[in-house]
Amino acid sequence: MAKVKALKCRECGKEYPIEPIHVCELCFGPLEVVYDYEEIRKNISREKIEKGPKSLWRYIDLLPVEEPTVGLTAGFTPLRKAENLGAILGLKNLYIKDDSVNHPTLSFKDRVVAVAISKAKEFGFDTVACASTGNLANSVSAHAAQSGMNCYVFIPANLESQKIYGSLVFKPTVVAVEGTYDDVNRLCSEIANELPWAFVNINVRPFYAEGSKTLAFEVVEQLGWRAPDAVVAPAASGSLITKIWKGLKELVKVGLIDSMNTRVYGAQAEGCSPIAKAWKEGRDFIIPVKPNTIAKSIAIGNPADGMYALQVTRESNGDWETATDEEIIEGIKLLAETEGIFTETAGGTTIAVLKKLAQRGAFKPDEVVVVYITGNGYKTMEVLEGHLHHTVRIKPTLADFREKILARVD
Amino acid sequence: MAKVKALKCRECGKEYPIEPIHVCELCFGPLEVVYDYEEIRKNISREKIEKGPKSLWRYIDLLPVEEPTVGLTAGFTPLRKAENLGAILGLKNLYIKDDSVNHPTLSFKDRVVAVAISKAKEFGFDTVACASTGNLANSVSAHAAQSGMNCYVFIPANLESQKIYGSLVFKPTVVAVEGTYDDVNRLCSEIANELPWAFVNINVRPFYAEGSKTLAFEVVEQLGWRAPDAVVAPAASGSLITKIWKGLKELVKVGLIDSMNTRVYGAQAEGCSPIAKAWKEGRDFIIPVKPNTIAKSIAIGNPADGMYALQVTRESNGDWETATDEEIIEGIKLLAETEGIFTETAGGTTIAVLKKLAQRGAFKPDEVVVVYITGNGYKTMEVLEGHLHHTVRIKPTLADFREKILARVD
């Protein structure tokens, strides 16, 4: 593959061939895909991309896959101007990148999984697996079904029931581990050392993570080939933010945009905010925490890419903010009531953080601000119990309608 | 609006100006939008459409709206080739048109509501409403929030809780009516006569229903400007099938395709199949039934457009088939396990019917068959209880993994 040069350790720089490995044998640093941008620059153009498939695969020139075989319809989700929410927050150019309708399993994970499983097939694996807080398990299960591979997904046993059903329906083996996500992840790392399985976010992680770059690519294209002034995204492992930043820089490197001056803001739930806490305390290292939040999909206490996410906010002049459980629910409701978009707890966190940032003047009123909504509200519906208005029950008669509804309106 | 000529009664042909009315005052027949196809033909082209927005609004030349103001991101959902399901059914060219990821509320209703509420705004309404089996209520609530309009949604009181929450989160008034959908619909018709509200599927119905045509338009475009040999779609009121057919014919009329020879097949739940029953008994009129099925989103016992849906299958050499509740659940699972798409009961019905039709030789192996998946599985998750595999619970240790998972695999 001419476009991809090697895997390279983010810490010591040692290079490795393109294989299902993820850790440097010298220094234990994480491996990352390195591209030949000069070569890519020759072959890529706005016109070619715009003529490409209506999916993330229009960006195949910047992804580490030769021929996609799974997840052919993932990505290229709507970017919508949020006039109502923007008016409330004093932002004239607020946009929502809405992966709550990503295909097929309603979260941004469909992007990374499409890339990871296509790559796993290229490597010749017949079994895929993952450690997941729910959305990833849904997506791996669905794409494994599509691709006819064996599938094992590992989740914390206390997950929202919607997310468990949303995996089971695709008939993988769902392993409910008694512990936190970090326990699940540790166990999966051990298993990945023993078995010839493609754990999409462990041994295939360098390829998997590249899928998140498409969230940067698509936004720039959808804004008319212009990088936003600021983006706000949730952080769990910290990988998403790191890859959005990598994606923005790549667009400049291959000449699709002339320049980019985007500030990257990170959102975490107060009850699991190891990255935001490090930022506020001026640390460049992460102290793991034990998660205690309703935002289970971003409840990673020991974030693998936390350090790199900190670097991104530093390099981009961004910032970090957190949201309490109560603020997360208010965030879900605010987005629904103003923009008609129903997101899950991760999205509620991001909206709550966007609001706080706007209120403390992080953005100029005219700046183009993009907020990433990464998951769907139907998956965490149980957190809304007791927080919504009630239905009004009536008999099927005009008289009852007048008494119970119209009288109330007047 | 040059493209739209009038409203016209489907029964007696009397014409009316473009107003929020839906019934002929002479014969009580339903009104339908009539276009000036000669005029449209002059302005429309494949190239113009392909350059249009990535939403159903790329087809605005064939929709009765001047300037869309709501639902700007609805439609243009994926069409995916279903290799695995096709192999099982002996169909080499089976495609899934997947509105389970429609924006923003995960069903095809986002199409009709985008059109209806944009039109309601043009008419000057400040309040929107609907009679709904759930998906429509979700969509009207979301789009009303987007557009800042007042909103009342009327549903049968026994709806799936997911669908009720999926409306409440947008903060409309949700009226739970003690009765069937048909009771709800009758009540809403009475209210629509009294109040200046835009009931999207009653007084604005002629405009609303046109939105479904985009399911035909998009499929033809996504197939490379070629009409499928057969389509399979679910039927509740019968409107969807009627409009898919109208859409296909319009593409020929305005010159976007040369010809069309598509057979239209209708799917109903056995427990509420007044249209399929009329078909099987050779009647051209509908005898209303009392619904008794888990497929609540298509449980309309007295379908407003049932008669016209029958005409479509007659005219197109199509057919009707039904699915029992058990077959519906098997249909949901079959689609998930083979294609990684999680649909709701309506989609389960459609897949079960597709399977029956394929088994009795309705399609030739090489024919291009498109099946319409109209809603998302997260909305009717409760029907799956007891029908899925269980999770396997383990401690976060390799030893427990070996004992409970690996031992099982060997």
Side-chain angles (χ1 to χ4, degrees), chain A residues 294-329:
Chain A
I294 57 169
K296 293 179 185 173
S297 63
I298 49 172
I300 298 186
N302 189 10
D305 294 297
M307 225 170 62
Y308 304 114
L310 285 173
Q311 282 176 16
V312 167
T313 34
R314 226 174 353 252
E315 201 179 324
S316 74
N317 289 312
D319 203 344
W320 288 83
E321 192 49 85
T322 61
T324 64
D325 284 358
E326 203 178 319
E327 290 166 342
I328 291 168
I329 287 171

Side-chain angles (χ1 to χ4, degrees), chain A residues 84 98 103 138 146 176 378 392, chain B residues 84 98 103 138 146 176 378 392:
Chain A
N84 301 334
D98 193 0
H103 197 253
N138 293 175
Q146 257 184 50
Y378 279 98
V392 187
Chain B
N84 302 335
D98 192 0
H103 198 254
N138 293 176
Q146 258 185 50
Y378 279 99
V392 187

Side-chain angles (χ1 to χ4, degrees), chain A residues 308-360:
Chain A
Y308 304 114
L310 285 173
Q311 282 176 16
V312 167
T313 34
R314 226 174 353 252
E315 201 179 324
S316 74
N317 289 312
D319 203 344
W320 288 83
E321 192 49 85
T322 61
T324 64
D325 284 358
E326 203 178 319
E327 290 166 342
I328 291 168
I329 287 171
E330 285 311 307
I332 292 175
K333 290 167 68 176
L334 179 62
L335 184 64
E337 292 170 17
T338 56
E339 297 297 334
I341 291 172
F342 182 21
T343 187
E344 62 157 308
T345 47
T349 305
T350 313
I351 294 296
V353 160
L354 169 76
K355 188 177 166 186
K356 282 188 183 177
L357 291 168
Q359 284 171 343
R360 63 170 153 90

Side-chain angles (χ1 to χ4, degrees), chain A residues 241-268:
Chain A
I241 276 179
T242 314
K243 293 299 179 176
I244 288 174
W245 184 238
K246 184 180 182 188
L248 289 171
K249 289 198 291 189
E250 284 182 346
L251 292 178
V252 179
K253 278 183 195 158
V254 302
L256 287 169
I257 52 176
D258 291 335
S259 65
M260 177 275 290
N261 200 15
T262 306
R263 306 190 304 282
V264 179
Y265 294 86
Q268 292 209 294

Side-chain angles (χ1 to χ4, degrees), chain B residues 202-337:
Chain B
I202 300 176
N203 49 328
V204 188
R205 186 175 184 90
F207 310 96
Y208 157 93
E210 291 291 293
S212 291
K213 293 188 311 190
T214 57
L215 275 171
F217 300 157
E218 292 176 15
V219 159
V220 169
E221 179 184 351
Q222 288 169 313
L223 287 172
W225 298 106
R226 173 200 195 292
D229 297 306
V231 298
V232 185
S237 74
S239 168
L240 174 60
I241 276 178
T242 314
K243 294 299 178 175
I244 288 174
W245 185 239
K246 184 179 181 188
L248 290 171
K249 289 198 291 190
E250 283 182 346
L251 291 178
V252 179
K253 277 184 195 158
V254 302
L256 286 170
I257 52 176
D258 291 336
S259 65
M260 179 274 292
N261 200 15
T262 306
R263 306 190 305 280
V264 179
Y265 294 85
Q268 292 208 294
E270 181 68 36
C272 183
S273 47
I275 312 177
K277 205 157 285 170
W279 177 261
K280 286 187 183 170
E281 292 170 4
R283 281 186 272 115
D284 60 0
F285 60 95
I286 304 292
I287 301 175
V289 301
K290 206 171 159 65
N292 178 23
T293 171
I294 56 169
K296 293 179 184 174
S297 63
I298 49 173
I300 298 185
N302 189 12
D305 294 297
M307 225 171 59
Y308 304 114
L310 285 173
Q311 283 176 15
V312 166
T313 34
R314 225 172 357 248
E315 202 178 322
S316 72
N317 288 313
D319 203 344
W320 288 84
E321 193 48 86
T322 60
T324 64
D325 283 358
E326 203 177 320
E327 290 166 341
I328 291 168
I329 287 171
E330 286 310 308
I332 293 175
K333 289 167 69 176
L334 179 62
L335 184 65
E337 292 169 18

